[in-house]
Amino acid sequence: MEERAWLITTRKTAGLRQKDVAKKAGISQSYYAQLESGARGKNISGRIAKKVAKVLGFKWTSFYR
């Protein structure tokens, strides 16, 4: 399990908390926290990746690198 430091940095740069991103993306805070911690690995649906990317302003395919 590898932490997604880039995702954490992107969120903090945007001045948002985990719960802010989760709410705007329409997902639970615990699910979003799993995305940041890497607990979800690359096992994230394109639909969710697109929602989170839209909130934070990055290309959704970044989740799959």
Side-chain angles (χ1 to χ4, degrees):
M1 178 172 22
E2 186 177 318
E3 181 181 275
R4 289 188 172 108
W6 64 269
L7 185 57
I8 296 167
T9 301
T10 302
R11 174 180 55 80
K12 289 182 176 181
T13 299
L16 298 170
R17 298 171 293 179
Q18 284 185 346
K19 71 179 187 178
D20 300 327
V21 176
K23 184 175 182 176
K24 290 179 181 204
I27 60 176
S28 70
Q29 181 179 353
S30 62
Y31 188 93
Y32 181 77
Q34 290 175 1
L35 295 177
E36 280 194 359
S37 71
R40 301 299 299 185
K42 291 187 179 181
N43 186 21
I44 174 178
S45 75
R47 183 177 63 83
I48 298 296
K50 288 174 185 177
K51 286 182 174 187
V52 172
K54 184 176 181 180
V55 170
L56 293 174
F58 62 85
K59 193 168 184 165
W60 68 274
T61 55
S62 297
F63 279 109
Y64 305 103
R65 290 186 197 155

